[in-house]
Amino acid sequence: MSVSADDLLPCDRADHFLNLPDAQVVATKALLMTRDNLREVIEAKAMMCVYGDAGLGKTFAVNASLRDLAPGQFHRIQFRERPTPRYIRHKLFETLKIGGRMPSRPAEFDKLLRNVLAEEFRILVCDEAQWLSTECFEYWRHLWDDQETDLAVVFVGGDKCYEALDSQPMLASRIYVWQEYQQLTKKQVHEVIPAFHPIWAAADPADIDFVYRHAARGNFRIWAKITHQLLRLLAQLGQECVDRVAIRRVFARLGHLT
């Protein structure tokens, strides 16, 4: 995955699930709200939490918005299961490109990070924040609370992220904006999906409704996965347009259909 030297995020094409060819950024209500919220959070140098179920476009919206609002000022750290403060220190050291040897003692490491984060304003995006422990949340709070550091923090998380943050009253009280992502409604799907990819722009609305009801609902990631498989199938068949036969063939490879 390529990384931009300017903003340290994946290139915009990599934002789309499976690097879906010809996928378009669609200005959904949620994305526009994210952009407005981030603008306020950046101006206030505050903290924000974007949360909701997997596959709804949270990370995509944050990445796309920050590329427009604050190019070169933001850094993204994606967390894995149960990170530790030590892991956060090391990831910040790498992400901020501090250079030299990492300090061996936590106190020295923290002093170095605070000094670097005081040099210029930065936006730190903490993805998969639901994995953070109480100790990790406290670490982020201390970094942000420090009078010398100059930063905004954006927590992005899936299932249980809200509960994880809300259970930390010292941190939760400092969250400037909470934004929940929800699935697209059926009406929104018919408005958004044809703009999302050309194969749906030419599709029968009844076929879009069929995919909505039996597989994708209002989940962007599932729509991207189905679209990716349909593109490959249509290429194999030498066919340009989506039809119910092709959709059913893709469905045969997917689980958990209604």
Side-chain angles (χ1 to χ4, degrees), residues 219-232:
N219 187 297
F220 254 120
R221 188 176 299 160
I222 299 176
W223 276 101
K225 178 171 61 176
I226 291 172
T227 303
H228 195 281
Q229 294 201 29
L230 278 170
L231 285 175
R232 292 176 63 87

Side-chain angles (χ1 to χ4, degrees), residues 10 17 26 40 55 58 60 68 94 107 117 128 138 176 187 192 206 210 220 248:
F17 186 58
V26 184
E40 292 188 24
K58 303 178 298 295
F60 181 95
D68 289 340
E94 295 170 358
L117 291 171
E128 302 295 348
E138 281 297 292
Y176 190 74
K187 180 176 183 294
V192 167
F210 183 78
F220 254 120
R248 288 186 182 278

Side-chain angles (χ1 to χ4, degrees), residues 13 16-24 196-198 227-228 231:
R13 174 52 49 197
H16 293 283
F17 186 58
L18 300 173
N19 294 331
L20 181 63
D22 299 320
Q24 303 298 311
F196 170 60
H197 199 279
T227 303
H228 195 281
L231 285 175

Side-chain angles (χ1 to χ4, degrees), residues 25-94:
V25 177
V26 184
T28 63
K29 181 179 179 181
L31 187 148
L32 294 175
M33 184 180 297
T34 297
R35 187 165 299 176
D36 288 343
N37 287 337
L38 282 169
R39 184 180 290 108
E40 292 188 24
V41 167
I42 291 168
E43 291 174 356
K45 298 185 178 181
M47 291 196 284
M48 174 180 178
C49 177
V50 182
Y51 65 99
D53 290 340
L56 302 184
K58 303 178 298 295
T59 298
F60 181 95
V62 169
N63 288 356
S65 298
L66 287 176
R67 283 195 183 92
D68 289 340
L69 295 173
Q73 291 183 301
F74 58 96
H75 306 268
R76 176 175 174 265
I77 301 174
Q78 184 171 1
F79 295 109
R80 302 303 180 185
E81 187 171 358
R82 301 304 172 198
T84 63
R86 181 176 182 272
Y87 175 86
I88 295 173
R89 291 185 183 99
H90 283 224
K91 291 299 292 184
L92 283 173
F93 188 91
E94 295 170 358

Side-chain angles (χ1 to χ4, degrees), residues 17 32 36 44 97 104 108 121 126 162 173 179 183 189 196 204 209 233-235 256:
F17 186 58
L32 294 175
D36 288 343
K97 296 184 177 181
S104 58
E108 295 173 357
F121 175 67
C126 308
Y162 176 86
S173 65
Q179 182 181 348
Q183 290 201 15
V189 163
F196 170 60
D204 187 331
D209 189 60
L233 177 59
L234 294 178
H256 307 294

Side-chain angles (χ1 to χ4, degrees), residues 47 88 92 114 117 124 126 132-147 149 151 153 155 165 168-175:
M47 291 196 284
I88 295 173
L92 283 173
R114 287 196 299 268
L117 291 171
L124 302 180
C126 308
L132 295 178
S133 64
T134 296
E135 192 177 11
C136 289
F137 280 129
E138 281 297 292
Y139 188 74
W140 281 111
R141 182 176 69 83
H142 284 301
L143 285 179
W144 183 82
D145 267 349
D146 189 279
Q147 293 184 353
T149 59
L151 70 156
V153 180
F155 295 105
L165 267 165
Q168 311 297 324
M170 295 291 286
L171 179 61
S173 65
R174 288 162 169 77
I175 300 296

Side-chain angles (χ1 to χ4, degrees), residues 102-113:
M102 292 185 184
S104 58
R105 297 182 179 181
E108 295 173 357
F109 213 147
D110 292 345
K111 181 179 179 180
L112 172 63
L113 290 176

